Amino acid sequence: TRRSSDLGVAHDVSNGHLVCNGIEINSTCSTVCIEGYEKENEQMGNLKCLENGEWDDKRTSCMKEGCGVFQKV
């Protein structure tokens, strides 16, 4: 397993990093947050190398752990 900085993946993650299994077609990268932080959107943060050689754009950020955003009901 390699970090994105070793692979030329252009995606910085504040308070975390990407862990990738390669740079070939169908390779994947996952967002890993440092201790005390969590993914802003759990449905995002896993990137895949597409057949056109581009990474899909399912990026997320690492936010300080807490209650999240309060929404009116």
Side-chain angles (χ1 to χ4, degrees), residues 11-53:
H11 179 54
D12 292 326
V13 179
S14 295
N15 303 307
H17 59 271
L18 290 177
V19 176
C20 305
N21 66 1
I23 56 170
E24 300 80 24
I25 303 297
N26 294 320
S27 294
T28 58
C29 292
S30 299
T31 302
V32 177
C33 299
I34 61 173
E35 189 172 337
Y37 289 79
E38 60 190 359
K39 286 195 243 180
E40 180 179 26
N41 183 338
E42 284 296 327
Q43 305 301 315
M44 305 289 278
N46 298 311
L47 289 78
K48 182 176 180 181
C49 183
L50 305 174
E51 293 201 18
N52 64 2

Side-chain angles (χ1 to χ4, degrees), residues 1-9 16-21 23 29:
T1 305
R2 297 174 280 184
R3 288 187 182 215
S4 60
S5 57
D6 300 331
L7 304 172
V9 178
H17 59 271
L18 290 177
V19 176
C20 305
N21 66 1
I23 56 170
C29 292

